[in-house]
Amino acid sequence: MAKLSVNINKIATIRNARGGNNPDVLQVALDCERFGADGITVHPRPDERHIRYQDVRDIKPRLTTEFNIEGYPQRSFIDLVKEVHSTQVTLVPDSPDQITSNHGWDTVANYDFLVDVVGEFRKSGIRTSIFVDPDARMVEMAAKIGADRVELYTEPYASAYPTDREAAIAPFVKAAEVAHKCGLGLNAGHDLSLVNLRYLIDCIPYVDEVSIGHALICDALYLGLEETVQQYLKCCR
């Protein structure tokens, strides 16, 4: 049974477009919890174009579920995560001007850097997850680095799903099996939706958590937030 973590970045994007506090990012996070979500995900970027560092500080003490903070581990990000002491930190290799995540870490080339970062979070008692492509070598090195989990970057799966879902899921199944053998927890995220989520869960029984934002918020425009969260939970269960 995979847990559903709702990424609320898009809510912050709408708020920031007009200034003020409408929609209320904190209230949406609490509503997602109330509607059954197992956790909340945020991705504060250096330019704060959606989630702001202060949002992270405001949200953490009010949550009763898991809090996942994802981002590139520059010093200010590391300090923020340690300050609020989130349940989980997901390390992504994004550049500051990147629109959205579009690849996983090369855990071989960045081994020494990630060892230091993961070690710092582990000393603080924060669960660490490394964002990776569905590549066995990248997963194996994430385990050697000392991460608790990997998050599989699922955009390639989502893109290929409409034409050949069996071929689309195949590399992810293999990567998941490697993670399981290495003793890693397994997360998944990026472009997962009501169209493709259930098949992923059915094919990969090891998934601990999915982080979903863009598609879920888009669906909520038509279905309402509560009904949307419930439908995603059905896919996860």
Side-chain angles (χ1 to χ4, degrees):
M1 185 171 65
K3 291 184 177 181
L4 171 67
S5 185
V6 177
N7 186 317
I8 58 172
N9 277 20
K10 285 296 182 294
I11 301 300
T13 301
I14 298 171
R15 176 200 61 188
N16 294 354
R18 289 288 297 270
N21 194 41
N22 188 25
D24 187 326
V25 171
L26 172 59
Q27 187 58 54
V28 171
L30 298 178
D31 287 341
C32 288
E33 282 192 327
R34 184 163 55 89
F35 298 149
D38 303 295
I40 299 297
T41 291
V42 294
H43 187 153
R45 294 178 182 273
D47 60 6
E48 297 192 322
R49 63 178 179 267
H50 33 64
I51 289 292
R52 300 166 181 156
Y53 276 34
Q54 189 57 47
D55 291 326
V56 177
R57 296 184 177 99
D58 293 340
I59 291 170
K60 174 58 171 65
R62 298 289 302 278
L63 292 184
T64 58
T65 58
E66 293 194 349
F67 193 27
N68 172 47
I69 305 177
E70 59 183 28
Y72 182 83
Q74 63 186 41
R75 188 71 251 170
S76 59
F77 175 85
I78 294 172
D79 290 343
L80 176 69
V81 174
K82 291 172 64 178
E83 174 191 337
V84 303
H85 202 274
S86 61
T87 315
Q88 176 176 266
V89 59
T90 300
L91 308 177
V92 296
D94 287 355
S95 61
D97 60 347
Q98 206 162 311
I99 295 176
T100 187
S101 304
N102 60 16
H103 64 284
W105 284 97
D106 182 335
T107 52
V108 176
N110 294 281
Y111 179 85
D112 291 339
F113 172 66
L114 290 171
V115 164
D116 290 342
V117 172
V118 168
E120 187 168 350
F121 285 127
R122 287 178 68 88
K123 287 179 182 177
S124 297
I126 299 170
R127 187 173 74 223
T128 58
S129 178
I130 297 179
F131 195 66
V132 296
D133 297 316
D135 180 297
R137 181 62 172 158
M138 298 301 111
V139 174
E140 290 170 348
M141 290 304 291
K144 292 181 179 180
I145 285 166
D148 300 295
R149 296 184 181 184
V150 289
E151 178 174 332
L152 297 180
Y153 168 55
T154 50
E155 189 276 333
Y157 160 73
S159 296
Y161 179 90
T163 55
D164 189 343
R165 67 180 190 175
E166 291 184 3
I169 198 65
F172 292 87
V173 171
K174 291 180 181 178
E177 290 173 349
V178 172
H180 187 64
K181 290 177 181 177
C182 289
L184 289 167
L186 185 68
N187 298 340
H190 206 89
D191 284 356
L192 295 176
S193 70
L194 290 174
V195 173
N196 57 46
L197 176 59
R198 181 59 180 269
Y199 186 69
L200 178 108
I201 298 296
D202 286 345
C203 292
I204 306 177
Y206 310 127
V207 176
D208 292 299
E209 173 187 295
V210 292
S211 174
I212 305 178
H214 183 80
L216 190 151
I217 300 305
C218 290
D219 289 334
L221 295 174
Y222 297 95
L223 303 174
L225 184 58
E226 182 173 8
E227 176 63 22
T228 299
V229 170
Q230 290 300 311
Q231 290 201 25
Y232 276 89
L233 285 170
K234 288 179 182 177
C235 292
C236 291
R237 304 304 190 241

